[in-house]
Amino acid sequence: MPTPSPSPYLPFGENKNTSWYGRDIISVKQFQRPDLEYIFGVAHEMRGMVERIGTFNLLKGKILANLFYEPSTRTSSSFTAAMERLGGSVIPINEVRYSSVMKGESLIDTVRTLECYADVIVLRHPETGSAEIAARAARKPIINAGDGIGEHPTQALLDLFTVFEELGVGVVDGLTITMLGDLKYGRTVHSLARLLSLYNVKINYVSPDILRMPRELIEEIAAKGIPQAEYATLDQVLPETDVLYVTRVQKERFENPEEYERVKDSYVITPEVMKAAKQDMIVMHPLPRVNEISVDFDDDPRAAYFRQMEYGLYVRMALLAMVLGKA
Ligand code: CP
C-alpha cells in the first residue's frame, strides 16, 4: 500500500456541503462529487493518523451499535475497528439469533431499543429498503451496511477511495471500469455503478445472462450520459480495463441451487488470464471470494483487494466521525 502523502483532496474548508452531523447514510444517491472529495479527504487524514499514532480519542464516550442480521466479516469488524481506533466503543449484535429478534421483535423496535444505548447504528439486513425503514424510525444516525440486494453504500465509498488512492485522485475521469460476475444480486456493484456515474467513466458489465446488471440501473446510469456495455466474456474488454471489479456469485440469493451450480465458476481470474491486462490497472473484489480469483494472483501488484479492505477502515472512520459531528 503506498505511503500517505500530503492530502491530494480538497482542503476541508473549501467544501461547503459538509454538514453530515446526525445524518443517515442509506444510499449512494445521497452523494455528489464534493461530498466524495470531502469524505476521502477525511479518510486520507484518518489513514495518516492510524499510521502515526494508531488509536486516538476523537469519538471518546461515543457508542456504536453494530446490528447485523446477515453474516459479515469485513463490514462488521472494520466498523468495530473504526470506532475503537477513534476511542469509542461498540455494542456488537453480530448474531441476531442471540438477541430478542428471535423472540419476534421487529426491526423498528430493535432499532428504537439500540438507540437508547448508542449514538449511531450500523445495520445489515436481508431486505432491500430495510435501512431506510430503520432510519425513518430512528432518531440517531443509521448507516446502511447492506440491505439485501439493494445497496452497500459504505462499500462503494471504500471502493472509490481505493481507486483514488491506488490510481490517483485526478485520474478517475477517463477510466474504464469492468464489473465481472454476479451483477444481478451483487449490491456492491449496484452502489458502485451509481457512484461512478458522477464521473466521466466507461463501465463494462461482464456476466452470465441470468446475472446481468438490472435493467433499471443501466437506464438510470445511461440517463447521466455514462457509456455502458454488456458482455458475456471478459477477453473482449480486459485489455482496455483500468479497474477490474470482480464479484462472487451469491449462492445465498438463488432460489434454484442448480442454477447456481451452472454459473458459479463462469469466470476465474488467474495469472494466465491477466496476461492480457494492462500493467498499471488494478483488480478489486469486495470479498469474500470463493473461486473467482485464483490465490496464485494474490502476489501480483495489480491485486488490490486486500489493500481495498484496509482502505475501508479509513472510510468508515471518516463516516463515523462525520455523522457524530467530529469531522
Ligand atoms: N465486502 C463485504 O461486505 O464483506 P462482508 O460481507 O464480510 O462484510
Side-chain angles (χ1 to χ4, degrees):
M1 183 175 277
T3 314
S5 41
S7 180
Y9 302 93
L10 271 182
F12 296 176
E14 288 185 15
N15 187 332
K16 304 285 186 264
N17 185 16
T18 57
S19 180
W20 287 91
Y21 176 46
R23 302 231 336 241
D24 305 302
I25 296 175
I26 304 301
S27 164
V28 291
K29 291 178 188 169
Q30 292 170 256
F31 302 111
Q32 299 302 319
R33 281 177 71 146
D35 302 309
L36 299 177
E37 286 172 14
Y38 181 75
I39 294 165
F40 298 160
V42 179
H44 191 83
E45 292 290 313
M46 293 296 183
R47 179 180 173 192
M49 292 291 279
V50 169
E51 291 184 357
R52 281 194 300 278
I53 58 173
T55 297
F56 46 104
N57 282 334
L58 191 67
L59 296 183
K60 187 173 169 54
K62 299 290 183 189
I63 297 176
L64 158 70
N66 234 5
L67 177 59
F68 280 69
Y69 287 75
E70 281 189 332
S72 167
T73 300
R74 277 144 292 273
T75 313
S76 169
S77 54
S78 63
F79 267 113
T80 298
M83 198 62 181
E84 293 186 355
R85 292 253 178 218
L86 292 167
S89 49
V90 181
I91 302 171
I93 306 188
N94 290 334
E95 282 279 11
V96 289
R97 69 195 155 106
Y98 296 122
S99 75
S100 287
V101 168
M102 293 315 283
K103 300 175 199 159
E105 187 160 53
S106 69
L107 171 64
I108 287 178
D109 283 2
T110 304
V111 163
R112 283 189 173 145
T113 303
L114 289 173
E115 71 177 349
C116 297
Y117 314 132
D119 301 288
V120 54
I121 298 171
V122 169
L123 172 68
R124 173 171 288 185
H125 194 278
E127 284 169 28
T128 304
S130 52
E132 197 171 343
I133 290 169
R136 266 194 241 118
R139 292 171 291 116
K140 304 277 176 69
I142 300 284
I143 300 179
N144 182 2
D147 61 335
I149 61 167
E151 282 218 36
H152 195 347
T154 68
Q155 177 73 44
L157 290 169
L158 81 86
D159 290 341
L160 192 55
F161 184 58
T162 301
V163 175
F164 275 58
E165 294 279 296
E166 292 273 320
L167 297 181
V169 171
V171 308
V172 177
D173 289 310
L175 290 183
T176 296
I177 292 96
T178 298
M179 298 183 176
L180 176 76
D182 184 347
L183 309 183
K184 177 180 179 185
Y185 297 121
R187 58 193 170 200
T188 65
V189 284
H190 301 165
S191 289
L192 182 58
R194 282 200 173 104
L195 214 50
L196 286 167
S197 71
L198 297 173
Y199 295 84
N200 297 319
V201 295
K202 178 181 177 195
I203 311 180
N204 298 317
Y205 305 116
V206 182
S207 70
D209 193 51
I210 62 165
L211 296 177
R212 286 165 66 179
M213 197 68 155
R215 186 64 23 207
E216 60 276 14
L217 215 135
I218 291 181
E219 285 167 8
E220 181 186 321
I221 288 164
K224 295 186 178 166
I226 303 298
Q228 306 165 90
E230 292 185 276
Y231 300 89
T233 59
L234 180 62
D235 51 352
Q236 299 164 80
V237 290
L238 186 57
E240 68 168 14
T241 296
D242 299 298
V243 177
L244 177 62
Y245 193 95
V246 185
T247 63
R248 173 179 67 94
V249 176
Q250 304 217 351
K251 182 179 185 181
E252 66 276 23
R253 314 266 182 220
F254 279 73
E255 284 174 12
N256 180 350
E258 283 169 17
E259 272 194 349
Y260 169 74
E261 290 299 323
R262 197 159 49 78
V263 294
K264 67 176 185 181
D265 293 325
S266 297
Y267 313 100
V268 181
I269 300 303
T270 63
E272 187 60 30
V273 169
M274 290 303 294
K275 282 182 183 165
K278 298 178 189 176
Q279 281 308 311
D280 58 353
M281 56 84 75
I282 54 172
V283 177
M284 297 173 60
H285 192 309
L287 304 176
R289 69 174 153 187
V290 185
N291 289 324
E292 57 278 1
I293 301 180
S294 158
V295 293
D296 298 342
F297 183 66
D298 290 353
D299 291 333
D300 189 300
R302 295 171 293 181
Y305 30 93
F306 294 119
R307 300 191 292 272
Q308 185 181 348
M309 283 192 284
E310 186 180 328
Y311 291 126
L313 170 67
Y314 309 130
V315 167
R316 287 169 175 143
M317 288 173 78
L319 295 173
L320 290 171
M322 287 164 57
V323 301
L324 292 172
K326 295 290 185 182

